[in-house]
């Protein structure tokens, strides 16, 4: 894995801005006024500057700037850029996480689908929704289970609906991955397969996932991906202790040895398996330490060949993206067809089998009209659990009626500065300045 560093990175950013600028002018000159073209360019320039600290990596499809931004200069990359060319309405989401099945051979202690049980929805509902979402500007589809390869027929059917306007990433434990199946998926827009790497020692991972074969299954699947030229990535759900006891560094070394391109650091969330007990809080000192470690691995030449780190805890910061749920930038459709703001927020705005997807989607985005810096899954987990217990429920997410009790009077915090700048200040000269 080769990264873009130092002076070359400075040149690349200049080239990126020039390339994107020319593409915008050529692509929108007949559809937008001069003022709107200038606004689009300002928005894109501002956004690129906000992510320029990321580790940029070369992939088979181009240069990757961020986990959820498709590789530059792919068609999917410009789908994500089109988000900034929308006026007079809420900017479109660009990422959708879709579960195709709740079936899974493992029992991970932290699983956010722990109580998300029930029959899988007819795949035609998911195919219809995904095709609709491509037309709405989704540039990044993250497809998962359960374990998606357990229902490979459904996985392949959904991937085949998605054209080059979007990238496909698949979350997998490795269970069910074969050479033949990877060959079929290579004919789609598959970009990478992401594996869970919560521990660097096989026995610990096996214990956590509840299987003696979890590590060996993952290891074999990674080898098959490399054999077929399919990039691999990782996610790691790490507690605060992992950043003090050396586990983070060992996981980074393991991800490097496995040839990973990106590793997403997932902040433990009070959701699913951890909804009742909650999770350990991170202090400002913890966040500062994590930021220092991320900067070291993403920027120092000694780690130039290591996977790029996408740290959820830093990207959720008020000065960055804040909470992107509810179609601000991303949302979730579970295997039963529930449309949720986020996989970690156990509420639903409706089910694909109950009504028109556009109505459900619009209702959710209206609730999330103004992006906020409050991380809702953390702040409202106890209230969700209380409603769950009070109504003697056995499954999640809450249905749309009970979900309204959660969001009807919640506090989403202050407007996220990045989106305030993009949606308000950069559109209207002399507009009210957003939060500092």
């Amino acid at each position: 894995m080769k990264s873009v560093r130092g002076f070359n990175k400075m040149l690349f950013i200049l080239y990126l801005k020039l390339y994107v600028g020319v593409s915008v002018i050529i692509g929108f000159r007949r559809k937008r006024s001069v003022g709107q073209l200038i606004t689009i360019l300002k928005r894109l320039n501002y956004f690129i500057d906000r992510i320029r600290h990321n580790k940029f990596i070369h992939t088979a499809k181009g240069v990757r700037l961020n986990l959820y931004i498709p590789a530059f200069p792919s068609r999917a990359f410009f789908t994500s850029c089109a988000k900034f060319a929308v006026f007079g309405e809420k900017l479109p989401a660009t990422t959708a996480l879709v579960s195709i099945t709740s079936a899974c051979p493992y029992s991970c202690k932290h699983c956010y689908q722990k109580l998300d049980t029930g029959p899988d929805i007819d795949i035609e509902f998911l195919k219809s929704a995904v095709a609709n979402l491509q037309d709405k500007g989704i540039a990044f589809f993250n497809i998962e289970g359960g374990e998606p390869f357990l229902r490979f027929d459904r996985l392949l059917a959904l991937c085949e609906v998605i054209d080059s306007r979007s990238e496909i990433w698949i979350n997998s434990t490795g269970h069910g991955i074969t050479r033949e199946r990877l060959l079929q998926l290579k004919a789609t827009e598959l970009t990478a397969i992401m594996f869970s790497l919560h521990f660097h020692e096989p026995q610990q991972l096996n214990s956590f996932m509840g299987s003696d074969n979890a590590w060996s299954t993952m290891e074999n699947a990674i080898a098959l991906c490399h054999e077929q030229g399919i990039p691999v990535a990782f996610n790691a759900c790490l507690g605060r202790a992992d950043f003090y006891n050396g586990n983070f560094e060992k996981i980074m070394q393991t991800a490097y040895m496995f040839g990973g391109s990106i590793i997403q650091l997932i902040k433990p969330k009070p959701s699913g398996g951890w909804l009742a007990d909650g999770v350990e809080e991170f202090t400002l000192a913890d966040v500062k330490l994590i930021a220092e470690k991320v900067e070291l691995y993403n920027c120092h030449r000694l780690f130039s060949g290591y996977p790029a780190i996408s740290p959820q805890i830093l990207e959720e910061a008020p000065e960055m993206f804040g909470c992107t749920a509810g179609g601000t930038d991303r949302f979730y459709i579970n295997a039963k067809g529930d449309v949720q703001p986020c996989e970690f927020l156990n509420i639903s705005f409706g089910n694909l089998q109950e009504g028109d997807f556009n109505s459900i989607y619009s209702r959710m985005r209206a609730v999330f009209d103004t992006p906020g810096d409050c991380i809702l899954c953390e702040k409202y987990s106890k209230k969700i659990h209380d409603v769950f217990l009070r109504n003697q429920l056995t499954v999640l997410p809450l249905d749309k009626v009970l979900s309204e009790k959660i969001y009807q009077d919640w506090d989403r915090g202050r407007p996220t500065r990045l989106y305030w700048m993009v949606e308000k200040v950069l559109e209207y000269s002399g507009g009210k300045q957003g939060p500092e």
Side-chain angles (χ1 to χ4, degrees):
M1 194 275 296
K2 184 180 178 182
S3 60
V4 185
R5 298 186 59 257
F7 183 67
N8 287 335
K9 186 175 182 179
M10 292 175 59
L11 291 178
F12 173 77
I13 291 173
L14 290 174
Y15 171 70
L16 170 68
K17 289 183 175 182
L18 179 62
Y19 193 111
V20 170
V22 171
S23 299
V24 165
I25 292 171
I26 292 175
F28 291 106
R29 69 183 187 277
R30 295 178 181 174
K31 304 174 185 177
R32 299 286 187 270
S33 66
V34 173
Q36 287 178 328
L37 282 175
I38 292 173
T39 296
I40 296 169
L41 294 175
K42 284 182 177 179
R43 287 172 165 179
L44 285 163
N45 183 72
Y46 179 78
F47 183 78
I48 292 170
D49 283 340
R50 297 302 298 168
I51 63 169
R52 66 187 300 148
H53 64 280
N54 289 356
K55 188 174 190 174
F56 297 171
I57 58 172
H58 289 279
T59 69
K61 293 191 174 183
V63 178
R64 193 159 210 96
L65 317 179
N66 175 277
L67 172 59
Y68 294 111
I69 300 175
F72 167 81
S74 66
R75 185 183 180 192
F77 174 84
F78 285 99
T79 299
S80 65
C81 288
K83 173 188 183 84
F84 300 101
V86 172
F87 296 90
E89 59 184 282
K90 181 176 172 62
L91 300 185
T94 57
T95 298
L97 177 64
V98 183
S99 175
I100 61 159
T101 181
S102 59
C104 185
Y106 301 115
S107 182
C108 299
K109 296 176 182 177
H110 72 308
C111 182
Y112 56 80
Q113 296 181 18
K114 203 78 170 181
L115 299 173
D116 192 357
T117 57
D120 297 337
I121 192 173
D122 189 306
I123 192 63
E124 294 302 322
F125 284 102
L126 291 179
K127 287 169 63 177
S128 176
V130 163
N132 190 332
L133 287 168
Q134 273 214 288
D135 294 337
K136 295 181 185 298
I138 296 294
F140 184 101
F141 284 99
N142 197 183
I143 302 176
E144 61 160 29
E147 172 46 64
F149 281 88
L150 279 178
R151 297 296 307 274
F152 183 72
D153 56 332
R154 290 168 62 87
L155 174 61
L156 183 62
L158 196 63
C159 288
E160 288 178 336
V161 171
I162 301 168
D163 61 41
S164 62
R165 289 174 293 171
S166 310
E167 276 189 359
I168 299 171
W169 283 51
I170 297 175
N171 290 355
S172 176
T173 63
H175 188 95
I177 289 182
T178 65
R179 182 177 292 104
E180 293 71 25
R181 287 176 170 181
L182 292 179
L183 282 170
Q184 291 182 73
L185 287 170
K186 284 182 69 174
T188 71
E189 297 304 319
L190 175 64
T191 300
I193 295 181
M194 178 175 275
F195 299 91
S196 295
L197 190 65
H198 309 307
F199 299 93
H200 67 278
E201 292 183 349
Q203 289 183 346
Q204 285 182 294
L205 185 73
N206 290 346
S207 175
F208 185 79
M209 297 180 73
S211 168
D212 292 337
N213 302 313
W215 183 279
S216 60
T217 298
M218 176 185 69
E219 195 170 28
N220 292 335
I222 290 171
L224 285 174
C225 287
H226 285 311
E227 175 190 297
Q228 296 303 317
I230 297 173
V232 299
F234 298 98
N235 62 67
C237 184
L238 303 182
R240 65 182 299 275
D242 292 304
F243 295 97
Y244 291 91
N245 61 18
N247 285 342
F248 164 73
E249 286 79 4
K250 291 174 181 176
I251 285 175
M252 288 301 301
Q253 178 68 20
T254 304
Y256 168 70
M257 297 300 294
F258 274 139
S261 57
I262 292 179
I263 181 166
Q264 181 184 32
L265 301 183
I266 300 176
K267 184 176 182 288
K269 298 289 189 179
S271 173
W274 285 343
L275 180 63
D277 297 331
V279 295
E280 188 178 24
E281 295 290 332
F282 285 72
T283 67
L284 291 177
D286 297 333
V287 175
K288 181 180 178 182
L289 176 69
I290 294 170
E292 291 171 353
K293 289 179 179 288
V294 169
E295 183 178 8
L296 176 65
Y297 276 85
N298 273 353
C299 301
H300 199 286
R301 61 181 179 82
L302 291 178
F303 302 104
S304 62
Y306 277 62
I309 302 175
S310 177
Q312 191 178 73
I313 194 170
L314 303 182
E315 292 174 350
E316 289 179 343
E319 62 272 17
M320 285 300 293
F321 298 100
C323 179
T324 61
T328 296
D329 253 344
R330 66 193 304 274
F331 73 103
Y332 177 53
I333 302 176
N334 74 7
K336 295 180 293 188
D338 292 303
V339 179
Q340 300 180 225
C342 168
E343 65 271 32
F344 302 118
L345 192 56
N346 300 135
I347 65 174
S348 171
F349 280 82
N351 190 282
L352 299 180
Q353 299 174 97
E354 298 173 356
D356 176 56
F357 171 71
N358 287 325
S359 298
I360 298 172
Y361 188 64
S362 297
R363 184 166 64 248
M364 176 181 66
R365 280 173 55 82
V367 172
F368 289 82
D369 183 57
T370 302
D373 62 10
C374 174
I375 307 304
L376 299 168
C377 59
E378 298 177 7
K379 184 171 182 178
Y380 289 97
S381 61
K382 187 179 185 303
K383 188 173 181 180
I384 291 172
H385 189 240
D386 288 344
V387 172
F388 177 81
L389 293 177
R390 192 162 56 249
N391 289 273
Q392 300 181 318
L393 302 178
T394 58
V395 300
L396 286 172
L398 303 179
D399 65 28
K400 63 182 180 182
V401 175
L402 292 176
S403 295
E404 189 171 358
K405 297 180 183 298
I406 304 296
Y407 66 75
Q408 63 184 354
D409 60 352
W410 66 12
D411 177 11
R412 298 210 48 225
R414 304 181 70 197
T416 307
R417 180 167 178 77
L418 187 151
Y419 292 107
W420 178 276
M421 289 293 296
V422 168
E423 293 184 348
K424 304 296 182 183
V425 177
L426 295 182
E427 182 171 356
Y428 304 108
S429 59
K432 179 182 177 182
Q433 293 299 307
E436 296 297 334

